[in-house]
Amino acid sequence: DQQVKQNSPSLSVQEGRISILNCDYTNSMFDYFLWYKKYPAEGPTFLISISSIKDKNEDGRFTVFLNKSAKHLSLHIVPSQPGDSAVYFCAARTVNAGNMLTFGGGTRLMVKP
Amino acid sequence: DSGVTQTPKHLITATGQRVTLRCSPRSGDLSVYWYQQSLDQGLQFLIQYYNGEERAKGNILERFSAQQFPDLHSELNLSSLELGDSALYFCASSVESHATLDGYTFGSGTRLTVV
């Protein structure tokens, strides 16, 4: 049972445009949501997070939006740069279930120059 | 360099064998988490240790076991290996016993190939 789903395995965007990566979840007990970025041959690195009590968090070019009623999370990257090309994972923390992170399957973002 | 060290980086072994993956957490971190990433899939949580004690268990096979030592490094033991165990194994660490809004810090992984 995949509780965190990233339905788009890949996304291609032109440099300078907006990249929107989506994530859906099923578990209402998730209270923290995080995005990680992963380059080849490296481990995932933390990018940005949001608490379930908020609907938006911004950090430079990266903004995460949370729509709890739709159980949907999105990451916006504006403007996109070629160095943003990587696999992006969304993750969620479950309250009272060990509090570990559950990850989605990832979306490969390609930013074309 | 994330500060989380995983060795070896690559491992090729035959079916039925046993291997040990090692992880040294970032300095000051007490929690160690093990995740498995099979071919182009998400990261599946295996097990967590906090300050030497098992804290949480995910979908870890009985053939797999782990432990965290007094110096806080951790080892993941995989035995009776099958072809399907071929995957990237990531270790992550954190200060707290639970995930926070700062997430975990991941190592660069061990790529296990079972032939």
Side-chain angles (χ1 to χ4, degrees):
Chain A
D1 175 28
Q2 272 193 299
Q3 298 185 61
V4 179
K5 288 185 182 180
Q6 294 176 255
N7 292 316
S8 298
S10 65
L11 175 67
S12 183
V13 169
Q14 206 66 37
E15 180 180 5
R17 306 294 289 268
I18 184 171
S19 295
I20 300 176
L21 297 103
N22 295 304
C23 179
D24 296 302
Y25 63 93
T26 57
N27 191 337
S28 300
M29 297 303 290
F30 287 145
D31 63 344
Y32 290 169
F33 300 88
L34 300 87
W35 285 94
Y36 278 80
K37 178 170 71 174
K38 184 184 178 304
Y39 293 119
E42 295 182 13
T45 55
F46 170 73
L47 195 56
I48 192 170
S49 62
I50 188 168
S51 165
S52 60
I53 63 173
K54 295 187 174 182
D55 55 18
K56 177 182 173 181
N57 188 29
E58 193 171 352
D59 183 4
R61 297 186 296 114
F62 302 91
T63 303
V64 57
F65 294 93
L66 176 62
N67 182 334
K68 282 184 292 182
S69 60
K71 293 192 173 67
H72 180 80
L73 186 70
S74 63
L75 174 69
H76 293 210
I77 307 174
V78 184
S80 300
Q81 299 173 352
D84 296 329
S85 298
V87 177
Y88 289 79
F89 292 97
C90 67
R93 186 186 89 154
T94 316
V95 176
N96 299 327
N99 293 312
M100 80 289 287
L101 295 180
T102 300
F103 284 81
T107 296
R108 184 178 302 277
L109 173 66
M110 292 164 283
V111 180
K112 298 178 180 178
Chain B
D1 182 8
S2 67
V4 178
T5 304
Q6 288 188 248
T7 56
K9 290 195 181 305
H10 302 277
L11 199 49
I12 301 175
T13 190
T15 53
Q17 294 298 304
R18 172 190 166 97
V19 297
T20 297
L21 312 184
R22 182 188 168 103
C23 170
S24 293
R26 196 178 54 167
S27 178
D29 286 357
L30 299 177
S31 270
V32 170
Y33 309 82
W34 286 97
Y35 281 82
Q36 179 194 54
Q37 185 186 17
S38 299
L39 189 64
D40 287 334
Q41 293 188 16
L43 294 98
Q44 300 296 320
F45 171 69
L46 296 178
I47 197 164
Q48 177 202 359
Y49 279 82
Y50 176 74
N51 204 21
E53 299 289 327
E54 183 183 303
R55 185 80 176 185
K57 221 168 185 176
N59 296 324
I60 187 167
L61 299 172
E62 284 191 14
R63 301 183 285 109
F64 295 2
S65 65
Q67 58 185 131
Q68 186 179 29
F69 295 86
D71 67 352
L72 300 177
H73 91 271
S74 177
E75 292 181 356
L76 178 67
N77 300 296
L78 315 176
S79 61
S80 302
L81 285 167
E82 302 174 358
L83 295 177
D85 297 327
S86 296
L88 266 170
Y89 290 85
F90 288 104
C91 167
S93 70
S94 68
V95 173
E96 304 287 348
S97 61
H98 52 273
T100 67
L101 284 167
D102 294 326
Y104 310 150
T105 301
F106 280 84
S108 57
T110 293
R111 180 173 293 281
L112 173 66
T113 303
V114 182
V115 296

